[in-house]
Amino acid sequence: MKMSRRNTLLLGAAFGAGLLPSLPTFAQSAKTPKAGGILNAIAVGEPTTLVPLLDSNTRTRVISTKILEGLVNFDDKFNPRPVLATSWSISEDGLRYTFNLRQGVKWHDGKHFSSADVRFSLLAFKRLGPRGRITFANVTDVETPDPHTAIVVLSKPTPFLLRALTGGETPILAAHTYPTDDLTTSKNGTSPIGTGPFVFEEWKRGSYVKLKKNPVYWQAGLPYLDGVVTRFVGDGASASIALETGEAHLSNDVSLVDIDRLRQNPQLSVDIYTDAYLNNAQIFEFNLENPILAKTDVRHALAHAIDRNFIVDAIFFGAAKPAASTIPAVFSEYNDEVPFQYPFDPQKASELLDGAGFSKKDDGIRFSLRLAFLPGDTFKKTAEYLRSAFGKIGVRVDILDGDLGTYIKRIYNERGFDINLNGISRLFDPTAGVQRLYWSDGIKNVAPYVNAAHYNNPEVDKLFRAAAVEQDDAKRASHFKKIQAIVGVDLPNFAIVALPTIVARSAQAQSIVTTIDVTSGDFAAVWLEP
């Protein structure tokens, strides 16, 4: 199959030395894998669901990818590899993707996997997925001429479609586990049935999720592990301690302040990656329905009050990287990152606020704002920094705390915030990941992580629509750069830092990273050295 040049965009990305993250590479062990054992993982915070249909948060996908599978996955050079699809072809006009499906695959409840499941899944994600309305906007149907063939029919070319079909992004779901049209009522979200190497066994709320080996997995001889247990803790320090005491084999959530100490432990290994599939970032979003924040100069002022280098050094200990654009720097052809448009300049911030009619009152306060943040240690610390930074220019900030469910409800349903410190996966393509930050459709069709600002610019919508179907890279890049110029002035949101992905593990745990998206591998090849 001929691959577009877009599939090689990530190869040229590079970061500096020290703690700065690198793109994932798959280390091959010279040792013979051993079967058996339970991998104990530690996660900070608990997911709201175990299926990323309604909530695509990373907490969900790092567990779900062990249970559910996609049609393909990707190696460290972004080359596609067969999973539930054994091969595929694309019509000359780019409007039909034909997938030949793997035969003999069974769901964990014993029923047979078929093309009907593929059809159900893609259309379900198109209808309900937080990113699906954008990713699959051009999907008109999924034809199923036989149980082992699925043909995705498009109204317009969708050059990034194949990249969206991984187990982490668009897992194939068992259609029979969703018996009614109201997919939100299915028990599959809390006790999922998949085709993957591990079978769901138990979710003890507030404590752990337990998975066991799939004895009839379609990959002969896999998985090596007898099971995976993910235990939930309250902070990164607890995750670090669990690794040091041998209680856990793996965590993606260790405290950054502990990294140097963990690296000095000969029984542990710590690697810092750029997840080139998710491209996670801290994004600062303005609620444009607030009349104060509706003023462009106010948004510009708040952007000038943020010292991204301080955040990188003091909160991320050098492991993150300042971000100048919501389009990831790894998309070098699409990105127009110029020297930061809003450099740290508190004096200019104050002047802009004065000019916007918000002078300091007798108590030194211009106005007050409510700041919500995505639950997590670094987000909480960044929120506290922002409160201090904005306070220095006369803006009082009240921080709104809460768990993930409370956060999602507050931001996307209740609109009970003024500024939002969010964690956004900018994903494998700007159409799939970045567009949702600006897409006006997200105002009327509410979904988590979609346009929290309620930004509405018809020209930006038009440019995103054009980019979504453009197959010429140069023309596509032109659309994205025009978008960057417009939203850089409108500033409905503000990219702060590109987030690192940390893999801290016991020396016993082998073959952890096997896909481009780092922590969202299936763990089929993971094994424990005695």
Side-chain angles (χ1 to χ4, degrees):
M1 170 182 172
K2 183 179 179 181
M3 299 304 298
S4 161
R5 191 157 59 97
R6 281 183 289 277
N7 285 342
T8 64
L9 284 179
L10 302 179
L11 302 184
F15 291 90
L19 281 182
L20 288 180
S22 62
L23 291 174
T25 55
F26 308 156
Q28 298 296 322
S29 173
K31 301 175 182 178
T32 302
K34 308 289 194 305
I38 303 293
L39 181 85
N40 292 299
I42 295 290
V44 174
E46 190 169 11
T48 61
T49 175
L50 298 182
V51 174
L53 174 61
L54 304 175
D55 183 359
S56 55
N57 188 277
T58 304
R59 294 178 186 175
T60 297
R61 65 192 290 142
V62 296
I63 297 176
S64 71
T65 45
K66 285 63 181 167
I67 307 166
L68 304 164
E69 296 180 300
L71 293 177
V72 298
N73 66 27
F74 291 85
D75 68 14
D76 57 340
K77 295 180 174 58
F78 234 116
N79 296 310
R81 302 181 296 196
V83 183
L84 290 179
T86 56
S87 62
W88 51 90
S89 60
I90 306 172
S91 63
E92 287 295 325
D93 60 8
L95 299 181
R96 293 175 70 85
Y97 284 63
T98 300
F99 293 93
N100 299 309
L101 305 180
R102 192 173 299 279
Q103 300 187 32
V105 176
K106 290 186 177 181
W107 294 102
H108 294 156
D109 61 1
K111 293 182 169 55
H112 287 277
F113 157 73
S114 76
S115 57
D117 299 307
V118 176
R119 183 177 195 276
F120 167 80
S121 301
L122 298 191
L123 297 182
F125 275 93
K126 173 184 170 73
R127 179 159 67 95
L128 294 177
R131 303 191 274 259
R133 286 199 303 274
I134 295 173
T135 305
F136 301 119
N138 299 328
V139 174
T140 60
D141 196 9
V142 180
E143 297 176 357
T144 56
D146 61 64
H148 307 299
T149 306
I151 303 171
V152 181
V153 182
L154 304 168
S155 59
K156 298 175 183 177
T158 305
F160 55 88
L161 181 68
L162 191 65
R163 287 191 177 189
L165 300 179
T166 66
E169 185 65 16
T170 313
I172 302 304
L173 310 175
H176 65 272
T177 63
Y178 295 87
T180 71
D181 287 339
D182 185 0
L183 306 188
T184 64
T185 63
S186 171
K187 295 180 180 179
N188 202 54
T190 55
S191 52
I193 290 171
T195 59
F198 296 96
V199 177
F200 172 80
E201 187 172 4
E202 181 186 9
W203 183 0
K204 186 175 181 180
R205 299 284 183 159
S207 186
Y208 60 80
V209 167
K210 184 184 295 185
L211 312 179
K212 62 183 178 181
K213 179 176 184 174
N214 180 359
V216 292
Y217 187 46
W218 58 264
Q219 290 196 67
L222 297 179
Y224 296 120
L225 296 170
D226 290 331
V228 177
V229 176
T230 300
R231 186 165 63 85
F232 308 120
V233 296
D235 53 53
S238 299
S240 299
I241 291 170
L243 283 168
E244 290 176 303
T245 60
E247 181 183 350
H249 299 105
L250 175 70
S251 180
N252 305 315
D253 294 320
V254 297
S255 175
L256 290 166
V257 73
D258 294 336
I259 286 179
D260 283 343
R261 187 181 80 245
L262 295 175
R263 280 179 164 170
Q264 292 172 17
N265 188 327
Q267 302 301 316
L268 301 177
S269 175
V270 181
D271 295 303
I272 301 176
Y273 295 99
T274 291
D275 186 327
Y277 191 90
L278 289 181
N279 283 300
N280 293 323
Q282 264 191 358
I283 304 290
F284 184 71
E285 298 177 289
F286 301 98
N287 184 345
L288 300 181
E289 294 167 344
N290 179 316
I292 296 174
L293 297 175
K295 294 192 174 186
T296 305
D297 281 349
V298 173
R299 303 195 297 275
H300 289 185
L302 294 176
H304 278 298
I306 299 174
D307 185 350
R308 283 176 282 201
N309 289 325
F310 176 86
I311 294 172
V312 167
D313 294 337
I315 297 175
F316 288 94
F317 297 89
K321 184 177 185 289
S325 169
T326 50
I327 293 182
V330 293
F331 295 125
S332 57
E333 295 191 14
Y334 298 158
N335 186 279
D336 193 26
E337 282 200 356
V338 294
F340 294 128
Q341 190 171 350
Y342 299 96
F344 177 54
D345 191 341
Q347 181 177 342
K348 184 168 185 177
S350 293
E351 292 171 355
L352 285 168
L353 291 176
D354 288 339
F358 296 105
S359 299
K360 289 183 179 180
K361 302 182 182 71
D362 292 341
D363 60 0
I365 303 299
R366 302 174 189 271
F367 52 81
S368 297
L369 296 172
R370 299 164 297 169
L371 169 60
F373 66 93
L374 184 73
D377 184 54
T378 56
F379 287 88
K380 184 173 184 177
K381 290 178 179 177
T382 303
E384 291 168 348
Y385 161 75
L386 293 173
R387 177 170 59 186
S388 173
F390 293 157
K392 291 176 181 178
I393 60 170
V395 177
R396 175 179 171 175
V397 169
D398 296 313
I399 294 179
L400 307 175
D401 210 335
D403 61 16
L404 182 59
T406 300
Y407 169 82
I408 290 174
K409 184 178 180 181
R410 173 182 289 142
I411 300 300
Y412 299 99
N413 301 112
E414 298 174 349
R415 305 290 299 162
F417 74 102
D418 299 311
I419 45 182
N420 176 36
L421 179 62
N422 206 346
I424 289 293
S425 297
R426 296 176 291 170
L427 293 180
F428 48 86
D429 185 273
T431 295
V434 179
Q435 176 175 319
R436 62 201 168 105
L437 290 170
Y438 307 100
W439 197 236
S440 63
D441 174 79
I443 299 174
K444 61 182 178 180
N445 294 307
V446 176
Y449 315 110
V450 178
N451 196 0
H454 277 196
Y455 178 64
N456 187 355
N457 186 317
E459 179 63 17
V460 171
D461 283 349
K462 179 181 178 182
L463 287 166
F464 269 120
R465 281 195 296 269
V469 300
E470 180 55 64
Q471 300 190 81
D472 182 275
D473 270 341
K475 292 179 181 179
R476 200 160 189 252
S478 175
H479 295 321
F480 288 131
K481 289 175 181 179
K482 287 177 183 176
I483 289 168
Q484 285 174 301
I486 295 170
V487 302
V489 175
D490 288 352
L491 209 68
N493 53 52
F494 182 68
I496 301 176
V497 296
L499 296 172
T501 297
I502 299 169
V503 177
R505 62 178 176 86
S506 161
Q508 286 183 284
Q510 303 291 317
S511 300
I512 296 293
V513 177
T514 59
T515 65
I516 191 79
D517 46 2
V518 187
T519 58
S520 293
D522 60 18
F523 280 15
V526 173
W527 59 281
L528 296 176
E529 189 172 16

